[in-house]
Amino acid sequence: MAGKTISRLVRLRQTAGYTQESFVAAFAQEAERLGLDASVSVRQLRRWEREKPPPLPHPSQQIVLEAMFGVPLAEMEFNVPHHRVTVAAPMSDAGDVKRRTFVADTGALTAAALVPSRPGPRLGTADLGRLRARLDGLYQTDHTTGSVPAMTQARCIEDEITHALGTAAYTSRVGRELQTMLAELHGHRAWYGYDGGRVDEGRASCMEALAAAQLVDNPLLQISVLETLVLLAVKADRAWEAASAVENAYRLATRAGAGPTVHLVIALRDANVATHTGDLSGARRALSRAVSHQGRIHADAEVPRWAQFVGPFEVDYATADMYVRAEQPKRAVPFLRAAVRDIDGDLARNSASYRVKLASVLLAAGEVDEACAEMSAVLDVYSGISSPRLAGKVRDFRHAVARIDSGTARDCAARIRETVRGTAV
């Protein structure tokens, strides 16, 4: 309506991208995440937005509103009693506030969290949702087109988060979520270091990610970093570091009450370490644990995003790795075939990497024609993937197949050269 003043609450809601109906649903979700018995109806929201002054929300509703928008209730044009005002002043500025009043304020602050007194933009849960969607999208980018484009996206997200942490105003809960996302980003960068062959950079990112995950006291996030550290430590031939990472991951999983899927990932990394060191008995034990956990993942109520990639194909791949280490490539072949067959078709980079491994093992087993057929399937999708680790595997296969004197081998080597011309391979 022309000339009608839009209330502060309406502006906050619209800026966050909510309709009245979607706000009510988001409010309920946020209350659940905060562990509060709080809700709001569309009718009540309309009263808050229309009446001047609007009726005061209940204390639990106040906590949810402040968490969602990242501003104190008083800045939403509510008349807030003194004992419920959320402030962000140093304790030395409290003046001669009576102790009883101070204790009441402290209770409110503990529940609602502090809002830093900064001039920058306010961040609420809607902003977190947008950042979370972009962060989760890194998995899809990496699994489909490779770590190089994923790294570019990760740098942009990291810049945005660090800028927000340094300049924006937000509740402590929002700040904690931002720090958690930053820890996840360091974990992503650790993986990109592994995939890119930059082991020292990857290990440095692991250390940053571990420190950040410890600061927000997130054991599952620490486990996700440790499982990447295992791969980097194995690559750097630091078996003691890899074994220590596995041991700590087991300890954290017990502390967090982690489900079978997380334990499956740890068991697979345990098998990686044992295989690398030639402890084949230890590798078999770890793989037996992995199979046991795999059989129970249906009981997981919730699986962390970083662990959702794991499945039977990972167990098959690790089993094949053990046989390759034992110099029994023929026994490794059926497990690699199963891994290639069962891996999710959306995981293009992973699938290509598995097929190159199968091609290499087939070559070692003397199955040249089959090996070249598998490599041909990789080359069909190779141009759409930017992964230094995959490129290295293709390069190694080209060198191996070039030593074989057969028409099929020569044709395969020629196609590899033609496909990857102009790249580092």
Side-chain angles (χ1 to χ4, degrees):
M1 184 180 296
K4 184 176 180 180
T5 302
I6 298 177
S7 73
R8 169 72 164 155
L9 188 59
V10 171
R11 289 197 299 273
L12 286 169
R13 173 175 60 77
Q14 292 177 342
T15 300
Y18 294 120
T19 64
Q20 290 181 328
E21 289 74 15
S22 65
F23 176 83
V24 168
F27 187 100
Q29 292 174 351
E30 186 65 19
E32 183 178 359
R33 282 194 289 266
L34 290 168
L36 295 171
D37 183 14
S39 63
V40 65
S41 65
V42 172
R43 181 180 179 182
Q44 185 175 19
L45 176 61
R46 286 172 179 163
R47 289 189 64 199
W48 283 346
E49 294 183 347
R50 182 180 63 246
E51 297 183 18
K52 291 189 179 301
L56 184 68
H58 298 302
S60 57
Q61 291 175 322
Q62 174 180 352
I63 295 170
V64 179
L65 285 169
E66 290 180 338
M68 291 184 72
F69 293 129
V71 300
L73 193 65
E75 292 189 22
M76 302 178 209
E77 299 178 339
F78 291 95
N79 286 337
V80 185
H82 176 70
H83 69 280
R84 286 178 54 185
V85 172
T86 306
V87 295
M91 289 182 66
S92 58
D93 292 345
D96 59 355
V97 176
K98 294 181 180 179
R99 178 172 178 80
R100 187 174 64 177
T101 305
F102 174 75
V103 171
D105 284 347
T106 301
L109 289 172
T110 301
L114 293 174
V115 178
S117 51
R118 291 173 173 164
R122 302 284 193 182
L123 263 72
T125 53
D127 303 292
L128 289 180
R130 286 189 286 270
L131 282 168
R132 169 56 63 188
R134 292 170 60 198
L135 182 59
D136 288 348
L138 291 176
Y139 289 102
Q140 185 66 22
T141 300
D142 178 44
H143 288 320
T144 54
T145 57
S147 64
V148 175
M151 182 64 166
T152 301
Q153 294 178 17
R155 287 195 181 106
C156 293
I157 300 170
E158 183 175 350
D159 288 346
E160 189 170 336
I161 291 176
T162 53
H163 180 74
L165 282 167
T167 63
Y170 42 79
T171 64
S172 60
R173 178 181 177 277
V174 170
R176 178 186 174 86
E177 287 299 314
L178 288 171
Q179 291 182 68
T180 299
M181 290 184 193
L182 193 58
E184 291 181 48
L185 273 169
H186 289 314
H188 280 284
R189 292 184 63 175
W191 164 258
Y192 303 151
Y194 172 73
D195 188 67
R198 302 182 304 276
V199 175
D200 288 343
E201 288 182 29
R203 290 182 67 253
S205 293
C206 272
M207 297 306 109
E208 287 190 77
L210 278 175
Q214 288 169 353
L215 286 174
V216 295
D217 193 25
N218 190 324
L220 289 179
L221 185 52
Q222 291 177 60
I223 294 170
S224 77
V225 179
L226 288 169
E227 68 105 357
T228 302
L229 181 59
V230 171
L231 298 174
L232 286 158
V234 165
K235 196 81 168 177
D237 202 21
R238 299 168 66 94
W240 68 91
E241 184 176 78
S244 180
V246 168
E247 182 179 344
N248 276 277
Y250 276 130
R251 176 179 56 80
L252 287 164
T254 299
R255 168 190 156 193
T261 304
V262 170
H263 279 91
L264 169 57
V265 174
I266 301 171
L268 288 170
R269 295 296 169 256
D270 197 353
N272 291 150
V273 178
T275 297
H276 174 72
T277 59
D279 178 12
L280 300 184
S281 295
R284 282 193 293 270
R285 288 194 297 272
L287 288 168
S288 293
R289 287 194 294 273
V291 170
S292 175
H293 294 311
Q294 174 63 43
R296 293 184 286 114
I297 61 174
H298 64 278
D300 261 337
E302 186 174 355
V303 179
R305 184 72 175 84
W306 57 266
Q308 291 175 9
F309 75 92
V310 76
F313 55 88
E314 286 280 343
V315 180
D316 287 330
Y317 189 90
T319 304
D321 229 16
M322 179 186 68
Y323 283 122
V324 170
R325 181 70 172 80
E327 299 182 351
Q328 299 178 35
K330 288 185 181 294
R331 297 191 68 178
V333 167
F335 290 97
L336 282 170
R337 287 195 190 283
V340 168
R341 182 184 64 245
D342 294 341
I343 193 169
D344 191 330
D346 291 336
L347 307 180
R349 187 260 298 158
N350 305 54
S351 179
S353 181
Y354 277 30
R355 292 194 94 115
V356 175
K357 177 79 169 184
L358 173 57
S360 299
V361 173
L362 283 166
L363 204 62
E367 303 292 343
V368 178
D369 289 352
E370 289 188 60
C372 290
E374 290 296 336
M375 179 54 67
S376 180
V378 173
L379 298 176
D380 288 341
V381 300
Y382 185 82
S383 62
I385 303 171
S386 185
S387 165
R389 191 164 66 101
L390 176 61
K393 289 184 175 183
V394 172
R395 179 182 61 241
D396 291 343
F397 182 89
R398 189 189 72 187
H399 292 159
V401 80
R403 294 192 291 267
I404 298 174
D405 186 18
S406 78
T408 301
R410 285 191 292 272
D411 290 344
C412 184
R415 189 183 173 200
I416 293 173
R417 283 193 296 271
E418 181 66 26
T419 302
V420 302
R421 181 174 296 165
T423 72
V425 178

